[in-house]
Amino acid sequence: MGMLSAIERTAIERARAAPMLERTIQWAAINSGTRNLAGLAAMAATLADAFSVLPGTLDLVEPDPVETVTPAGTVEPLAHGRHLLLTTRPEAPVQLLFTGHMDTVFGADHPFQAISWREDGCLNAPGAADMKGGLALLLAALEAAEASPLAAHFGYTVLINSDEETGSLSSQALIARAARGKAAALTYEPALPDGTLAGARGGTGNFSLVVHGRSAHAGRNPEEGRNALVATAALAVMLADAKAPGLSVNPARIDGGGPNNVVPDLAVLRVNFRPGDAAATALAQAALDTAIARVSAEHEVEIALHGSFNRPPKPIDPAAARLFDLVHGAGADLDIPIAWKATGGVCDGNNIAACGVPVVDTMGARGGAIHSTEEFLVPDSLPERAALSVLTILRLAERGRP
């Protein structure tokens, strides 16, 4: 190990000794898929009980309203679970933000529900790496920091939302409020199996385009119809052709159509954009506007656009670079190699960075194969990453900023 103070050594040992694996196994046994509201309620209650050992005010916050476009083209409300919010010492001179999510991609009816051990000693369980292991080590790090003489130097907000896996649409405003005035943020998405962290991230935008045409008989008077399915296919092709360096476009699904003898009057296109920077976001918006205008005119249909660029690109600015350097230095003093690389994936770190707060968003456990039935967590990474977190926290508390 490198240069560690007595205070740091004590906190590190305390964090490493926390029952993180037991908590991870307990929490992974609770199905908390984003649409499983009963499971999310159980998970929120369990986490509230666990995080109540920390000082401060803990609330389960109601989700903001969210709408969804159905395959029939109607706009309907979409229910979400509550979000956990803990506020501790808001009057302290240094304010930090810690975020994670309680939801997984595995619904109540998904076949992946069981916990098992792989031959290599890794834990195979739904959400073990993404990110119930991360939540367990976050709690361990904060418990250890609270026992430190440096605890009075910093305050913090812990935000664990229920909808990260589907874009954080019901918690986006809550994230922005929680980020306000924070010196730095740590988010507990999983690191790669070798410990590599995510650096710069691209952004994302998800859209539904509802196309209304005109129905007609396919044999008697097809010329009087306006084929919404054909118009939607044209939209999909135009948008796919808008891809460019720094911008990927994925038309992912078309809902619509009907009997072979009827000109379809309704179709819905789902499309995802991945812009690498602000210029690519503007290019994507222009592509949407152009495609809608052209297809509407050429096919004589009406097109309604729903959705947004809900996660902006996350570049590494100077403040973020300083925070990465601090984490790198903490890792070096713990004999933990820290590297990072850019990724096309997105998370709540995108939204936090957009608020002007430097963030390292892969402070969670090491693991892999996330979002699949092969998802695994490396158990030894729990004490390793808890030590990295508490050391980072204490150094932020001392310095006041990255």
Side-chain angles (χ1 to χ4, degrees), residues 266-288:
L266 174 70
V268 181
L269 171 65
R270 320 287 181 164
V271 60
N272 173 256
F273 293 87
R274 298 282 174 144
D277 53 27
T281 303
L283 181 64
Q285 184 64 62
L288 273 169

Side-chain angles (χ1 to χ4, degrees), residues 51-323:
F51 278 79
S52 67
V53 301
L54 300 172
T57 303
L58 191 151
D59 296 301
L60 293 178
V61 181
E62 293 297 327
D64 287 342
V66 175
E67 293 181 332
T68 186
V69 177
T70 71
T74 60
V75 179
E76 297 182 356
L78 184 63
H80 285 75
R82 293 190 293 175
H83 315 299
L84 185 150
L85 186 71
L86 171 67
T87 305
T88 300
R89 290 186 297 276
E91 74 290 345
V94 180
Q95 292 294 315
L96 304 175
L97 173 62
F98 306 101
T99 70
H101 61 88
M102 68 182 77
D103 63 324
T104 74
V105 299
F106 307 106
D109 58 351
H110 195 281
F112 186 35
Q113 304 286 344
I115 294 169
S116 63
W117 290 95
R118 302 194 330 179
E119 289 185 2
D120 61 1
C122 290
L123 178 67
N124 169 232
D130 188 21
M131 59 179 294
K132 292 175 180 180
L135 297 178
L137 71 87
L138 166 61
L139 178 55
L142 289 175
E143 286 181 298
E146 283 295 340
S148 164
L150 295 175
H153 292 206
F154 76 103
Y156 55 90
T157 298
V158 175
L159 171 56
I160 304 174
N161 58 0
S162 69
D163 63 344
E164 190 278 337
E165 295 292 8
T166 54
S168 303
L169 298 177
S170 80
S171 58
Q172 188 169 345
L174 183 61
I175 292 169
R177 293 195 298 272
R180 194 174 300 136
K182 298 301 192 292
L186 302 176
T187 295
Y188 286 79
E189 295 291 343
L192 294 177
D194 66 357
T196 300
L197 308 180
R201 291 182 181 271
T204 188
N206 290 295
F207 295 88
S208 297
L209 294 90
V210 181
V211 180
H212 290 278
R214 185 187 308 148
S215 183
H217 193 287
R220 290 186 177 182
N221 58 335
E223 70 284 352
E224 295 180 11
R226 299 294 180 267
N227 194 308
L229 196 66
V230 171
T232 304
L235 266 179
V237 171
M238 285 189 65
L239 292 174
D241 286 344
K243 65 181 181 296
L247 175 64
S248 65
V249 186
N250 183 43
R253 181 185 178 96
I254 292 178
D255 296 304
N260 284 357
N261 61 350
V262 177
V263 175
D265 64 352
L266 174 70
V268 181
L269 171 65
R270 320 287 181 164
V271 60
N272 173 256
F273 293 87
R274 298 282 174 144
D277 53 27
T281 303
L283 181 64
Q285 184 64 62
L288 273 169
D289 295 341
T290 299
I292 289 171
R294 184 176 301 175
V295 171
S296 295
E298 292 179 356
H299 292 263
E300 299 181 20
V301 295
E302 295 181 358
I303 303 173
L305 178 66
H306 303 270
S308 66
F309 292 98
N310 61 301
R311 283 185 168 141
K314 190 195 82 171
I316 300 299
D317 61 16
R322 289 193 297 270
L323 180 57

